[in-house]
Amino acid sequence: MADSTMGSDAPPPIPPRNGVNFARPRNFVTKFASHAKETFLPDDPIRQFRGEDHSTFRKAIEYFIPVFEWLPRYNLKLFRFDLLAGVTIASLAIPQGISYAKLGNIPPIVGLYSSFIPPLVYALFGSSRHIAIGTVAASSLLIAETIEVVVSAKDDPQLYLHLVFTAAFVTGVFQLILGFLRLGIFVDFLSHSTITGFMSGTAIIVCLQQLKGVFGLTHFTTKTDVVSVLHAIISNRKEWRWESAIVGICFLTFLLSTRALAKKKPKLFWVSAISPMVVVVVGGFFAYLVHGDKHGIQIVGNLQKGLNPPSIHFLNFQSKYFAAALKAGLLSGTLATAEGIAIGRSYALANNYQTDGNKEMIAFGLMNIVGSFTSCYLTTGPFSKSAVNFNAGARTAMSNVVMALCMMLVLLFLAPLFSYTPIVALSAIIMAAMFGLIEYEEAYRLYKVDKFDFVICMGGFFGVTFVSMDVGLFISVGLSILRALLYIARPSSCKLGALPDSTLYRDIEQYPTATETPGTMVLQLGSPIYFANCSYLKERITRWIRDENDMANSKGSVVENVLLDMGGVTTIDMTGIETLVEIKKTLDIKGIRMGIVNPRVDVLEKMTLSNFVDKAGKECFFISIQDALDYFRFSLVGSQAAKTQQHPDEVL
Amino acid sequence: MADSTMGSDAPPPIPPRNGVNFARPRNFVTKFASHAKETFLPDDPIRQFRGEDHSTFRKAIEYFIPVFEWLPRYNLKLFRFDLLAGVTIASLAIPQGISYAKLGNIPPIVGLYSSFIPPLVYALFGSSRHIAIGTVAASSLLIAETIEVVVSAKDDPQLYLHLVFTAAFVTGVFQLILGFLRLGIFVDFLSHSTITGFMSGTAIIVCLQQLKGVFGLTHFTTKTDVVSVLHAIISNRKEWRWESAIVGICFLTFLLSTRALAKKKPKLFWVSAISPMVVVVVGGFFAYLVHGDKHGIQIVGNLQKGLNPPSIHFLNFQSKYFAAALKAGLLSGTLATAEGIAIGRSYALANNYQTDGNKEMIAFGLMNIVGSFTSCYLTTGPFSKSAVNFNAGARTAMSNVVMALCMMLVLLFLAPLFSYTPIVALSAIIMAAMFGLIEYEEAYRLYKVDKFDFVICMGGFFGVTFVSMDVGLFISVGLSILRALLYIARPSSCKLGALPDSTLYRDIEQYPTATETPGTMVLQLGSPIYFANCSYLKERITRWIRDENDMANSKGSVVENVLLDMGGVTTIDMTGIETLVEIKKTLDIKGIRMGIVNPRVDVLEKMTLSNFVDKAGKECFFISIQDALDYFRFSLVGSQAAKTQQHPDEVL
């Protein structure tokens, strides 16, 4: 690190003991390099290539294609775990695949395709051991919502499907680019609160969508907001089918009760894991026996055998359609990426291994591109499925391979059986899955801890439920950014005082026992000092001095020195430096001395380059508050000392 | 202050000596109030109403209408100064008024009107003593550029003029609202670099515009970018009039030489101040004598006597035109406000008195609204004019009144004389004024000190010169905001070491003499900890530990404790707290103890509310690095101690 920041060309002179180190500023290249590194390579990915050379190539391969890293050390014992986990998630993937495909208005078989190829690709390139690859409800609905604008799935299912593939392709390319440019930072802008609000909102509208299936409606709206959906349901009440509704409620109760059971006895997680499969099978038999389709229980309908057909020639880049596909791809991609990376990170954390967000993006990207060539739509690592995978004891990405193989068998031989699956069963499965995503406790917690986070969360929630998913997302992200800007526009600073019998200086409001030094005001400035908060800072400091002097009139000691503790200020820009100059001027006029305590390296560099250091004089810079106070006390005695320019170490 | 932040309902318990003060979190209202206060009332405007009640009302009046504050104490001695200053700026206001009006494609007389009413209004409500009110080149051009889009000044001068008035009205209302809502913060987002770049760019395109006048062209473009202007000039070279060109060059040389003189001998500032007037008069006579208009020297043309006619009934709110007026009003308003407030602030600073940005906005707002009712267009406190006013020795806003009265006399009696003013003279005046605004040294300084600020500046500059003024503004502001976001996405943190024989802990890269404590890593975190930088922070810390341990393999001591110095972290959000929880988990797994040093009050509150404090255990919180190290050393001896939960003060 040292060389990357100090610049090998600028050997730092040994600073005067306990004096501020006015090292020669690093040249631009070194500074830029280190900043770029912090911004794009925070996890220092190339470190494993350093060291003994002979292994470098192997390491590089292992780095870019993680499978080479773990497969050699793979053994039967591990496989036993992965086999069990793989079968479990497969049993979950089949019903979910079909359900979410319906949610995206695409043929159910595509949902099954999407759980065959992508997991295999991820197993090669992915670095997480516990993610289970599959389709997600939120993104499926978002894609449908966006593409329905230009093409109706009812009127032109072919074109619609092709645009869905195109969207998946866009997502893949997008993820790949982000990954290669190491722009994982992009995903960081989806805050915890945003995701909470967005997910809860989505869960609600997805559930409402399911009422179509539960009530067996044939006419419905393509809109997703609460108002128009409820209106569609009520206005079509002629079509309500009580049989379907009853079946639906039975299934839902069953699913929710198994979930509750699993919550109580974590050992029995598998019950809730396979329950969707049970629902599908039972539902299928039932529908088959009683010819449910004749009694108002709609069924999925033809699912023919066979593996993924190629779809690369279906990708549609005509300008009049592509715009929609692009939007769908980017939006759903952003969401899916965020979800996948977050889940990957959290399991890596819990199991003490590392995942690299940017490498994950590359894996996701490849998986979606290959997917879009083989009749799959957007896939990622969903929370729910990955959780099941983890609980089922998955050890490596092999569990995804197992799932993919199970899916292959299904596609080859069993697909037709599932054509009897009642829509209502799928609706029940989706609803059950969604209930888990409505995080009201979390929202309440946000409300308790941080009101603004709560607003961000609610902005997303209501945006999604009452307008549309993308609007919800934008509102929420917009609010987060506004908050960030507002914050840097008003960095909180405070007045410091000495703690009893110690040289520690702390916020006198936080530590009422801290006492100020008469005649000297110590201010701790917040970070950053920026064009957006300079004039505020100036006014704030002026006000502090004013208040102090007002009090002084009653108390006595007037402000003679102002110390600015810049220890916490990590960066400053030109406007910021201008401001410091102005503040110094004002103080000089008032006959108050200004001292700057412990400036950080970046800040000091800018101060030096802009000649502020020379203008103010090096004797205004101190390494600690204590030293500054000593200096002031000293220079009060030999007042001459204060006038003449001298170097701190002569004083301290 | 104390009560406003600690909340009178939550008396802070005396903290354990040198222990972290886990005071009961302030309730939302107090916290919100104090934040709102910092955000919108940083200068604490209501403070003067406190204190003895009998004077409160008078004080309130004085506060809202500053004239009542200074007029009573006004005397003849002060007036002598203001009289001189007023006459001087009047002599500048006449030519500038006419010139900038031409720049805005509106009748020159409107330029004179605009220097009559608005200054009077400002004198009543303004709090700056040195601002001189008048029209500005940049805004004039920006208004023209924006309104030309919907109405051509050539084809329908009436409608065009009405829209210009409407824009002024919009600006006024906008400023008034910003002022009352105390949103001065809005203007803070125009950074020093943005203004530098934008102004320089504007100066260049304004100069190019003047070539029309200098070459006496009749056909020209309504576009402002360099390319189309140059093209227009060259394609119309048939129309070039050498007489006009020569006269123009003479005037320009004269103006620039007087400026140079004034720069050399500041005493002679008045020479450059009145030189534009000289140019107008001389030019006028010359044109009158030689019948210049017949020899290709265009003149301003009819200026009839009389004061401002009412124009309130001209304000045009038809939707198809209002959009343009709105845009023009908001954009030019933002610029004008920023310029006016900046100049006001800097003179207040230099002369040791206070101006309140928000009050200034209200004054500007009223001045522009009244102006728009009385045939004036956008006015503010321009840099150049205010500088002259200050140098001429103005003491109070009275100088504006004097200028207004001079202007009144001109309008009543002398206006027609100015109708002979040659356009070329005006062009020369504008160009001379603009040359001063091209700040190449400043741009170079930015380049030297801060590359990103330089990029922001250039973005504005090239945006203005090659596209259009609004685009330039957006680019520049956009870049500034992006930078701000990038910054908070990567707050620089550093590793601390103890300075030789002292308990000061400083960045070991900044102070190479600082030495780390074996087995303990002390990290100073940057501020804020935010959704945008959480995952970065996690990876950064993990990396530090990894590197440390890698080195350890050769050196020896492995990391046993990690101390996070949060003294500089002024705020944290939910995602940030989640992250700390995760970091703690990771460290626990690695068997590393985490300590948090000196959390600030806001941060500690959130930690308490979100139960992080209880989860982590209060013994993980330390008031200083030294205490933490002592604690660790202690608990290494009696290792039991580390296990059992105990309160810092038992340890320290």
Side-chain angles (χ1 to χ4, degrees), chain A residues 13 48 55 76 93 98 108 115 129 137 212 232 357 396 444-445 531 566 610 636:
Chain A
Q48 51 263 79
S55 66
L76 201 67
I98 300 176
S115 303
R129 303 180 198 152
K212 173 174 188 275
T396 68
Y444 176 67
R445 185 147 150 280
F531 63 87
M566 311 254 292
S610 58
L636 276 184

Side-chain angles (χ1 to χ4, degrees), chain B residues 319-363:
Chain B
S319 54
K320 65 195 242 257
Y321 300 124
F322 185 64
L326 188 69
K327 189 182 168 197
L330 294 182
L331 282 178
S332 58
T334 312
L335 277 178
T337 317
E339 185 171 4
I341 288 181
I343 191 73
R345 267 203 193 117
S346 57
Y347 279 113
L349 200 72
N351 300 278
N352 195 19
Y353 65 90
Q354 280 240 321
T355 57
D356 169 351
N358 295 301
K359 255 167 69 184
E360 284 293 277
M361 285 202 207
I362 295 178

Side-chain angles (χ1 to χ4, degrees), chain B residues 61-71 117-128 133 359-360 362-363 366-367 370 397-398 400-401:
Chain B
I61 292 290
E62 285 179 1
Y63 175 73
F64 288 112
I65 312 175
V67 67
F68 287 113
E69 193 188 344
W70 58 268
L71 202 52
I117 301 288
L120 293 175
V121 179
Y122 182 83
L124 288 179
F125 300 99
S127 49
S128 164
I133 298 304
K359 255 167 69 184
E360 284 293 277
I362 295 178
L366 293 170
M367 148 180 118
V370 175
M398 184 58 81
N400 281 301
V401 178

